[in-house]
């Protein structure tokens, strides 16, 4: 049976219109050299919860298909010049931390897919792993740590223990910020920096 050609959407707005549910975000995985998106992840809210779809650029627009593996890391433009990078699970957490001056990144498609991503932009950096507070999240960050340990220069890796900063089951960086019950940017930034000192393998001091 011949392979049916994928429908090409001319721009991001038509991609969004083709998504089921209400599109809440379009995350662009931008190449630092070309400043063009190599991959898009669209997050949509359905009646039974959220759903994600990957898209990639093609001649004439975009198609709903992941690019070839390995997939790019998120937020690579900021990662380039950062000494310390926090690895979280999900683009929403990356944006939440970036708002307060903490450079972070994530792989695409959630826990358990770490091996599909090119983590080499983190070689030689201080890396703090912030897992979601559940078994899947912890296993995902253990997988990421194993990948990072194979790099030269090797990253300096530390892990944050979610329970040590008051996170309950399934909670993440976004939940940590919500629990602070303040909109004061300086207070939130200070609380995050304090949280990032609760490391299980603290080989360095975290500083902005």
């Amino acid at each position: 049976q011949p392979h049916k050609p994928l429908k090409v959407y001319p721009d991001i707005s038509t991609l969004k219109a083709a998504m089921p549910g209400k599109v809440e975000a379009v995350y662009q995985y931008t190449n630092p050299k070309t400043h063009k998106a190599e991959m898009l992840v669209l997050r949509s809210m359905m009646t039974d919860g959220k759903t994600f779809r990957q898209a990639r650029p093609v001649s004439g627009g975009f198609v709903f298909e992941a690019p070839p593996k390995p997939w790019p890391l998120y937020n690579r433009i900021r990662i380039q010049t950062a000494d310390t990078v926090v690895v979280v699970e999900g683009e929403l957490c990356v944006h939440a931390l970036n708002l307060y001056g903490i450079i972070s990144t994530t792989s695409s498609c959630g826990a358990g897919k770490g091996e599909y991503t090119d983590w080499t932009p983190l070689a030689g950096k201080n890396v703090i792993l912030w897992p979601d507070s559940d078994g899947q999240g912890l296993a995902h960050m253990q997988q990421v740590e194993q990948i990072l340990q194979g790099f030269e220069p090797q990253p300096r890796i530390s892990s944050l223990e979610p329970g040590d900063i008051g996170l309950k089951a399934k909670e993440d960086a976004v939940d940590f910020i919500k629990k602070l019950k303040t909109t004061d940017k300086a207070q939130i930034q200070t609380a995050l920096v304090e949280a990032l000192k609760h490391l299980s393998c603290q080989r360095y001091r975290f500083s902005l």
Side-chain angles (χ1 to χ4, degrees):
Q1 190 173 341
H3 183 70
K4 186 181 176 184
L6 293 165
K7 181 172 180 179
V8 177
Y9 297 88
D11 52 33
I12 291 173
S13 62
T14 52
L15 265 183
K16 287 170 68 176
M19 278 285 285
K22 182 180 187 298
V23 177
E24 294 183 326
V26 180
Y27 301 115
Q28 300 194 36
Y29 283 64
T30 307
N31 183 310
K33 291 178 182 164
T34 64
H35 286 259
K36 291 180 179 175
E38 293 178 320
M39 180 170 77
L40 304 177
V41 174
L42 292 85
R43 187 183 83 226
S44 185
M45 185 54 71
M46 313 276 282
T47 52
D48 57 348
K50 59 189 174 185
T51 185
F52 295 86
R53 287 192 72 181
Q54 291 168 301
R56 63 179 176 86
V58 293
S59 177
F62 300 91
V63 293
F64 276 117
E65 183 180 68
K69 298 183 185 82
W71 296 330
L73 261 186
Y74 195 53
N75 203 25
R76 282 173 296 161
I77 290 173
R78 285 190 177 96
I79 289 171
Q80 271 191 315
T81 53
D83 294 320
T84 298
V85 179
V86 181
V87 177
V88 290
E89 190 183 320
E91 297 93 351
L92 193 63
C93 287
V94 173
H95 284 264
L97 293 178
N98 280 344
L99 276 175
Y100 303 101
I102 293 167
I103 305 305
S104 57
T105 190
T106 186
S107 53
S108 176
C109 285
K113 309 263 190 344
E115 77 268 25
Y116 299 153
T117 292
D118 174 15
W119 294 91
T120 54
L122 299 184
K125 294 187 180 290
N126 298 326
V127 176
I128 300 174
L129 305 175
W130 185 334
D132 283 8
S133 189
D134 56 39
Q136 269 190 314
L138 292 167
H140 174 64
M141 290 303 174
Q142 287 169 351
Q143 181 189 39
V144 172
E145 182 169 10
Q146 284 183 330
I147 293 167
L148 294 178
Q149 284 173 341
F151 291 163
E152 285 295 335
Q154 197 173 52
R156 293 165 294 284
I157 305 165
S158 299
S159 296
L160 184 69
E161 299 292 340
D164 289 351
I165 57 169
L167 291 181
K168 297 185 173 69
K170 304 285 184 188
E171 292 185 332
D172 57 21
V174 173
D175 297 300
F176 177 82
I177 293 168
K178 282 180 186 168
K179 283 169 173 267
L180 297 173
K181 291 185 165 50
T182 179
T183 56
D184 185 281
K185 189 168 182 176
Q187 285 182 5
I188 295 169
Q189 192 174 50
T190 299
L192 284 166
V193 171
E194 285 302 311
L196 288 164
K197 292 175 182 174
H198 288 271
L199 304 175
S200 62
C201 183
Q202 192 167 352
R203 301 192 190 112
Y204 56 89
R205 304 287 298 175
F206 179 81
S207 60
L208 287 173

